[in-house]
């Protein structure tokens, strides 16, 4: 019995000591970590609330900025087409089409004209209606869903325009089934309304312009039906359920044809500028939205920017996660500091070795950088040399293109020299020395002409560097270029007209390379006139604000907008056998002379290339005292 009692007493003592020790450790743990945990909860709560509030306000500010920018973009886009029907209503071709509605030839001519107009203004459709709303001609006359012969007298845009008023209207197309914004204007002749011209704009380009992935853009009509949206599944759905009266009115107007209008069943204030919408069918805040609205001026549409509130929650949640990670890092850092003293010596040794290694790596990297710098300098020198060689190659390529005409230009004098020499021999043998002297004089004149051509070719083919700039007059360079290109102008029967001012103009240029640029532009103009009956090239020179403007115009087919944007890109060409380097090299040459080349439509109907260079004062030796 005593032994058993003693053993039991010992066990109880061990258990008590163990629990006492655990209690002390728990007390120390709570004493140290409870304040830290409390601080963590407080900071996280206040921080998450601040992030939510800030994100909410930032989202509203972003929405206001987006809606102002997008409203301006939409109004600009719509205003682009607003005045076109008014201009078309004055067109005599449309007036004649309405006056001669039974003339098939006139209809065909009008159809093709409207097709060309529609392509030019980038409209969806352009069509002409008579007094009864029948389509006389349309830009889609040759398509399967053509408007020709269809009656649109029931459309509000026709009913308003036939009364003499300008009209704007948006609806689903009854033929194509596609959304469109319609502009109409009456055609009046001799105080009588003959018909209506209509231009339809495709609205898909407006939606494609929206780039924000976290917010949606919608445009609603007065019935809260979504007519435009960056979220395609919301199209032609009402924000809130429609009343019976609104459904009946939509059915009568056929604005959306027979398309069923489903509802998103959202709730909220639909008249407020800034508000929140709610989707009762979705749980928590997954169906809540921040909404900023704006009514468009003179257009019965309201544009809205909608942002899901869940995105703000994820920002707050991310802040909480980052805070947890930050406190975890701080906690682990504290534990690490406790063990640093015992490992300080080892750490210092590791740090010293790392420092030595870092210094070695810095020295190694510095040597590599010096090597890379030297290689880059060599590469730049090679690039400059390659660019000069490319310019020289382009110059020789131009000479190759001119070889046939130059050969013809030299063969004719050679044949004439031989003829004059044979005639001179006969005149000498017959004692007609005066006639023989005339032939010899003509031979001398022809040899001078051939020597002049040869001199120009050698000068043009001479290899020069980009930095070889001298002060020179522009007129001799233009005249020298004209002499080089003269044979091609004759061969293609092209009339070249020069419009040069009397006052000399001085430039700081490389004359040979500038001559190469002018020759390349003139060669392009000659090729552009290949299919023209009457071929003309105009060269004009003007100065403005110490800038030289050298215009080279032709009356060819001209340039479209796509070509204008990419014309000077390397390897971009509109010719079948072209390399696409001529204009790119020419632009580089002119840029090395502190100028540039511009391309535009010519007032003569073709293309215009303008070389713009800064002018310099005349040299002192050339200045008039």
């Amino acid at each position: 019995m005593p032994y058993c009692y003693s053993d039991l007493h010992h066990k109880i003592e061990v258990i008590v000591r163990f629990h006492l020790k655990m209690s002390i450790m728990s007390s120390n743990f709570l004493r140290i970590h409870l304040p830290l945990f409390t601080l963590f909860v407080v900071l996280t709560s206040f921080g998450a609330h601040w992030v939510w509030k800030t994100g909410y306000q930032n989202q509203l500010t972003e929405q206001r900025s987006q809606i102002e920018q997008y409203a301006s973009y939409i109004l600009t886009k719509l205003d682009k087409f607003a005045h076109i029907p008014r201009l078309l209503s004055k067109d005599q071709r449309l007036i004649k089409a309405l006056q001669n509605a039974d003339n098939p030839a006139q209809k065909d001519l009008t159809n093709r004209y409207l097709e060309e107009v529609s392509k030019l203004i980038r409209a969806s459709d352009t069509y002409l209606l008579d007094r009864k709303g029948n389509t006389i001609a349309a830009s889609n006359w040759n398509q399967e869903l053509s408007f020709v012969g269809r009656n649109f007298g029931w459309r509000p845009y026709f009913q308003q325009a036939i009364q003499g008023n300008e009209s704007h209207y948006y609806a689903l197309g009854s033929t194509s089934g596609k959304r469109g914004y319609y502009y109409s204007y009456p055609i009046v002749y001799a105080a009588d309304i003959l018909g209506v011209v209509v231009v339809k704009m495709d609205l898909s380009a407006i939606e494609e312009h929206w780039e924000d992935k976290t917010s949606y853009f919608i445009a609603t009509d007065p019935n809260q039906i979504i007519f435009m949206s960056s979220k395609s599944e919301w199209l032609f759905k009402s924000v809130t359920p429609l009343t019976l009266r609104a459904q009946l009115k939509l059915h009568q107007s056929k604005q959306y044809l027979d398309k069923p209008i489903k509802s998103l069943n959202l709730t909220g204030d639909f008249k407020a500028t800034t508000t929140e919408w709610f989707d009762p069918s979705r749980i928590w805040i997954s169906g809540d939205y921040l909404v900023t609205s704006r009514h468009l001026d003179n257009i019965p549409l309201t544009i809205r920017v909608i942002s899901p509130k869940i995105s703000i929650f994820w920002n707050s949640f991310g802040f909480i996660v980052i805070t947890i990670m930050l406190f975890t890092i701080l906690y682990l850092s504290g534990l690490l500091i406790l063990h640093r003293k015992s490992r300080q010596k080892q750490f210092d040794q590791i740090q010293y070795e790392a420092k030595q290694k870092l210094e070695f790596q810095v020295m190694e990297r510095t040597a590599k950088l010096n090597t890379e710098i030297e290689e880059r300098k060599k590469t730049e020198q090679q690039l400059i040399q390659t660019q000069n060689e490319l310019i020289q190659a382009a110059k020789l390529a131009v000479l190759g293109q001119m070889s046939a005409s130059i050969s013809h230009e030299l063969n004719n004098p050679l044949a004439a020299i031989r003829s004059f020499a044979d005639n001179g021999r006969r005149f000498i043998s017959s004692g007609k020395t005066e006639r023989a002297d005339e032939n010899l004089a003509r031979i001398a004149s022809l040899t001078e002409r051939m020597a002049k051509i040869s001199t120009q070719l050698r000068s043009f083919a001479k290899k020069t560097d980009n930095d070889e700039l001298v002060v020179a007059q522009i007129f001799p360079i233009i005249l020298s270029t004209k002499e080089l290109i003269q044979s091609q102008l004759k061969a293609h029967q092209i009339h070249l007209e020069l419009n040069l001012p009397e006052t000399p103009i001085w430039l700081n240029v490389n004359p040979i390379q500038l001559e190469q640029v002018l020759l390349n532009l003139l060669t392009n103009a000659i090729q552009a006139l290949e299919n023209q009956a009457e071929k003309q090239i105009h060269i004009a020179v003007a100065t403005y604000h110490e800038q030289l403007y050298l215009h080279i115009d032709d009356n060819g087919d001209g340039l479209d907008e796509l070509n204008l944007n990419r014309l000077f890109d390397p390897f971009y060409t509109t010719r079948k056998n072209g390399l696409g380097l001529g204009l790119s090299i020419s632009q580089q040459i002119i840029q090395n002379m502190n100028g540039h080349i511009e391309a535009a439509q010519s007032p003569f109907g073709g293309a215009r290339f303008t070389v713009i260079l800064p002018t310099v004062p005349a040299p002192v030796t050339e200045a008039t005292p």
Side-chain angles (χ1 to χ4, degrees), residues 211-224:
E211 298 179 350
D212 194 343
K213 303 301 182 182
T214 60
S215 300
Y216 312 132
F217 151 75
I218 66 171
T220 58
D221 66 5
N223 293 317
Q224 302 299 336

Side-chain angles (χ1 to χ4, degrees), residues 10-61:
H10 177 72
K11 290 181 179 180
I12 293 173
E13 185 179 358
V14 170
I15 294 173
V16 170
R17 289 179 179 177
F18 174 77
H19 281 284
L20 182 60
K21 185 177 180 181
M22 293 300 296
S23 176
I24 295 173
M25 292 178 61
S26 176
S27 176
N28 292 335
F29 178 84
L30 292 176
R31 181 172 55 82
I32 297 174
H33 294 87
L34 184 59
L36 183 63
F37 178 76
T38 304
L39 178 64
F40 162 73
V41 172
V42 172
L43 290 180
T44 303
S45 300
F46 278 100
H49 176 73
W50 178 83
V51 170
W52 173 275
K53 186 177 180 180
T54 304
Y56 194 96
Q57 292 299 325
N58 290 342
Q59 188 66 57
L60 291 179
T61 303

